[in-house]
Amino acid sequence: MARKKQRVLQHIMEDQSYEIIKSQIPKHWVIREFNRPDYGIDLVIELFEMIDENVAETLGEFIYVQVKSINDLDIKQETIYEVGNVAKGVWIENRKSWTKLEVVKYPFDTNSIFTIQSLGGSVPVILFVVDLKSREVYFICLNDYIDKIILPKNPNYGEQGSLTINIPVLNKLSSQDISNNALKFYGKRAKLLAAFSKFSFQKNEIQHILGYKEYPIWTYRDEIEKGKTYEKNEVKTQLLYFISQIEGLDIWEHKEWQVLPQAKQQLISVRELLEKEEFHWETVRDKVIVLWHQLTNLGTMYEDLCREWFLPKFISLLTSYPTTPKIFTKE
């Protein structure tokens, strides 16, 4: 018997989820559906900032979102142990220090996890789990979860059909002091990584023109330019040019990571010294060396600490949220 076209429950739940998400992100941000059919990305969120009460301006920042809808959310309390730095070694828990955390437990297929892993860490892919009953949306950055939890704990995860993703209950879109901070930081990721690359290049060039090395390595460039020296005015011109390339980056105004506006002030201070008619060269030289060491160290801090933020991990709970958890210890 012939029947009319039908609308399946999955599509109804999907539309409900999108409506809930749209109601909980800033009104001046733009949500676009992505891919039909999708292969891991459902939505793209473009971030804007208000420049006056009537106009919002694009930041050129994007967050990629995979949306999952559920009617019966599974929330449990987990014991979170202190863990060593997984950027430097395998997952090792300190069972003498722990805290308790409520998490949303969501089963996720490993094909999707591997697809997101293949994107690398520069494209932020966020999982939104939408509880249709409570109208709450829980989020987690899958790139960071893969690199900081899954791979250190279970490098052979691909042999399984699925993994359970634990999302801190604290990570709710409705908790705007947390979610807006997190989403804006994820949106800034591509700009931050580009800046870290620029800082590293500039530091290498500054070491060369100032004639100092951090490591006893003799390169081909050292060989072909052996004995070459640079006049102070030439060095000054180069340094001011480097500063002009990075001083206008909009990463500096991201106050959610306080070291960024602090670094901007140090950059301005060095520029102002270089622009003076007369200055003590050795003092400025030392300030330049220290400043670019600090700038390149931002990339280290980002990988070491910032990519831990908003994950169900001990260090994250100490650094990501307005209040710190109760810590339990034993001798």
Side-chain angles (χ1 to χ4, degrees):
M1 178 180 176
R3 299 190 64 90
K4 291 176 283 188
K5 292 289 186 179
Q6 298 177 341
R7 180 167 162 80
V8 298
L9 178 60
Q10 179 184 351
H11 294 164
I12 296 172
M13 292 174 65
E14 184 178 273
D15 286 349
Q16 285 180 304
S17 298
Y18 290 179
E19 181 270 322
I20 292 169
I21 292 168
K22 289 177 181 178
S23 72
Q24 295 188 16
I25 69 165
K27 300 298 183 184
H28 55 284
W29 291 5
V30 174
I31 296 180
R32 298 183 179 90
E33 294 187 26
F34 189 79
N35 284 354
R36 288 287 187 170
D38 79 86
Y39 296 98
I41 305 297
D42 298 301
L43 302 174
V44 177
I45 301 176
E46 183 176 358
L47 278 60
F48 284 69
E49 65 177 350
M50 298 299 298
I51 58 175
D52 61 41
E53 60 182 13
N54 296 313
V55 178
E57 185 173 80
T58 183
L59 290 168
E61 298 170 1
F62 301 87
I63 299 169
Y64 297 85
V65 179
Q66 182 159 126
V67 180
K68 300 295 183 182
S69 309
I70 193 166
N71 283 311
D72 186 19
L73 204 62
D74 184 16
I75 296 179
K76 293 185 178 178
Q77 188 177 79
E78 290 281 309
T79 299
I80 307 296
Y81 293 102
E82 186 176 0
V83 176
N85 187 345
V86 296
K88 298 178 181 178
V90 297
W91 186 279
I92 300 176
E93 293 179 350
N94 173 14
R95 294 274 173 154
K96 295 182 178 180
S97 183
W98 72 93
T99 188
K100 299 289 186 177
L101 176 67
E102 284 195 326
V103 298
V104 172
K105 303 185 80 67
Y106 188 84
F108 208 69
D109 70 280
T110 53
N111 286 339
S112 293
I113 292 172
F114 184 70
T115 299
I116 294 164
Q117 180 189 346
S118 71
L119 297 177
S122 62
V123 178
V125 179
I126 315 302
L127 173 64
F128 282 179
V129 174
V130 184
D131 182 353
L132 297 175
K133 184 176 181 181
S134 69
R135 295 182 64 85
E136 291 286 4
V137 182
Y138 300 91
F139 68 87
I140 196 82
C141 179
L142 290 170
N143 316 71
D144 296 344
Y145 196 97
I146 291 167
D147 285 350
K148 301 299 183 178
I149 296 179
I150 294 177
L151 291 176
K153 291 183 72 172
N154 187 6
N156 297 318
Y157 74 87
E159 297 175 3
Q160 303 172 216
S162 66
L163 285 175
T164 297
I165 303 293
N166 291 328
I167 306 174
V169 168
L170 295 166
N171 293 5
K172 293 190 291 190
L173 287 191
S174 61
S175 301
Q176 294 187 354
D177 57 335
I178 294 173
S179 62
N180 286 356
N181 184 350
L183 296 182
K184 285 193 289 184
F185 196 62
Y186 296 139
K188 197 72 69 178
R189 176 167 296 193
K191 293 179 179 179
L192 287 169
L193 295 180
F196 301 153
S197 177
K198 178 73 75 174
F199 302 156
S200 179
F201 167 77
Q202 290 183 346
K203 180 185 179 183
N204 183 67
E205 293 302 304
I206 288 169
Q207 287 178 335
H208 185 74
I209 63 177
L210 292 182
Y212 83 97
K213 284 181 172 292
E214 291 183 330
Y215 303 101
I217 299 173
W218 190 257
T219 67
Y220 178 69
R221 181 180 183 181
D222 295 324
E223 182 65 33
I224 62 175
E225 296 186 7
K226 184 166 54 179
K228 182 177 180 179
T229 58
Y230 294 83
E231 297 294 332
K232 289 181 181 179
N233 282 337
E234 188 178 1
V235 174
K236 173 181 173 178
T237 299
Q238 183 68 81
L239 292 173
L240 286 172
Y241 177 72
F242 281 164
I243 292 172
S244 72
Q245 286 190 310
I246 62 176
E247 187 178 354
L249 298 176
D250 72 0
I251 63 168
W252 306 122
E253 307 308 318
H254 187 76
K255 296 179 176 60
E256 287 78 5
W257 191 18
Q258 295 179 356
V259 297
L260 293 174
Q262 293 170 5
K264 172 70 174 293
Q265 289 304 312
Q266 293 173 332
L267 191 66
I268 292 172
S269 175
V270 168
R271 173 176 57 74
E272 290 174 344
L273 283 174
L274 286 166
E275 289 175 338
K276 291 181 177 180
E277 289 294 330
E278 295 184 7
F279 54 83
H280 188 262
W281 175 253
E282 292 302 319
T283 299
V284 174
R285 181 182 185 275
D286 290 345
K287 286 182 177 294
V288 166
I289 291 171
V290 170
L291 174 59
W292 262 268
H293 173 78
Q294 293 172 331
L295 292 178
T296 53
N297 192 51
L298 291 174
T300 301
M301 294 171 62
Y302 185 85
E303 182 63 34
D304 205 20
L305 177 63
C306 299
R307 291 192 64 201
E308 300 272 358
W309 288 351
F310 308 106
L311 296 179
K313 295 188 69 178
F314 197 91
I315 189 172
S316 168
L317 297 174
L318 295 177
T319 59
S320 304
Y321 303 101
T323 58
T324 54
K326 182 178 180 180
I327 306 300
F328 303 91
T329 58
K330 67 177 180 180
E331 297 298 329

